[in-house]
Amino acid sequence: SLHSTFRMILGDTNWDDLAMVGEVPAGAYYWTFNVLLATIMLNMLLAIIMDTYSKVKDSIGDNAETLISQGHEIVNRYRLVKAGNLVRMSKVYEVFCQLATEKLKEENVAEYTNADGTVDWQQMQEDGKQQAETSTELLTFDHILKAVKGITPEQVKELMKGGKVQFEKVNPSSSDERSALDDITHDLNTLTAALKELEAHVQYIDP
């Protein structure tokens, strides 16, 4: 029965078999099934899918990458990694997790030492990973370039640029404050230039 119902959804209906129970009951079942399931329920499913698609499309904006551009980017990254001109993000992540673990080893190794004198390295690595993910330590250009072996200055710049964008998305208030600070700095620079120009005119008139 399930197989026959699925075939009816696809439009493959064996009317002769249905009519064996009576044309009126078969007709009532056929039209009720098609109206309720194949028409109403299918349209509701499509409406839910399209509504979700619209919300996702609006959230990513007009500058979203297309499937073709993403495929091209994946192939390009693969070629750069093979050529040694790009370091995988997983490797960068592992490096900073390892640095956090080594920091715990230097400062708090006693907390991970068991009663028998052995060290719980697994717990230390898990805590180092968590610390690396939640750390608020400021990473500079030179710090990243020195820590990650094989990374290029261009990739470090892209990482820092991407990190700034993600930080401003998570902390919009910080982005607004930075924008206001940039406006104040611009106004101060403009005022300073105007004062210097005024001072030059005064010296020209009254040397």
Side-chain angles (χ1 to χ4, degrees):
S1 60
L2 290 176
H3 180 67
S4 300
T5 303
F6 179 73
R7 290 176 58 185
M8 285 184 64
I9 296 176
L10 301 178
D12 184 11
T13 304
N14 193 335
W15 174 254
D16 293 334
D17 291 342
L18 286 176
M20 291 177 64
V21 299
E23 292 187 358
V24 175
Y29 173 79
Y30 174 79
W31 287 108
T32 302
F33 177 84
N34 279 278
V35 171
L36 291 180
L37 188 62
T39 304
I40 297 178
M41 298 299 293
L42 182 59
N43 286 333
M44 288 180 62
L45 177 62
L46 290 175
I48 294 172
I49 294 174
M50 294 304 297
D51 183 61
T52 305
Y53 171 78
S54 299
K55 290 181 180 179
V56 173
K57 183 179 180 181
D58 293 338
S59 65
I60 60 179
D62 297 331
N63 297 324
E65 288 186 301
T66 63
L67 185 61
I68 297 177
S69 64
Q70 289 180 352
H72 180 268
E73 183 177 356
I74 292 173
V75 174
N76 188 40
R77 285 181 177 178
Y78 176 78
R79 291 177 177 175
L80 291 175
V81 170
K82 283 296 184 181
N85 297 324
L86 186 70
V87 178
R88 295 183 184 275
M89 289 301 301
S90 58
K91 182 179 179 181
V92 177
Y93 174 74
E94 291 174 359
V95 168
F96 284 101
C97 287
Q98 183 64 30
L99 291 175
T101 302
E102 291 178 358
K103 186 176 181 181
L104 289 176
K105 180 180 177 181
E106 295 174 358
E107 299 177 356
N108 304 318
V109 66
E111 296 182 5
Y112 300 93
T113 303
N114 300 320
D116 57 357
T118 59
V119 180
D120 191 350
W121 298 110
Q122 183 177 359
Q123 184 62 41
M124 183 184 293
Q125 290 177 353
E126 292 178 358
D127 291 347
K129 177 181 177 181
Q130 183 178 4
Q131 183 173 343
E133 294 175 351
T134 59
S135 176
T136 57
E137 181 182 358
L138 182 64
L139 297 177
T140 63
F141 179 88
D142 294 334
H143 185 194
I144 300 176
L145 191 63
K146 182 180 179 181
V148 183
K149 183 179 180 181
I151 196 169
T152 61
E154 291 76 13
Q155 186 177 357
V156 177
K157 292 179 182 178
E158 290 297 325
L159 285 176
M160 299 187 73
K161 182 179 178 181
K164 178 183 176 183
V165 173
Q166 293 297 325
F167 178 80
E168 291 177 351
K169 286 183 179 180
V170 178
N171 302 276
S173 59
S174 176
S175 177
D176 296 338
E177 293 174 358
R178 185 178 290 104
S179 178
L181 182 60
D182 292 340
D183 293 339
I184 294 174
T185 304
H186 179 267
D187 294 339
L188 288 175
N189 291 335
T190 303
L191 180 60
T192 302
L195 289 174
K196 289 183 179 180
E197 184 177 355
L198 179 61
E199 182 181 3
H201 282 294
V202 171
Q203 290 179 353
Y204 176 75
I205 295 174
D206 188 13

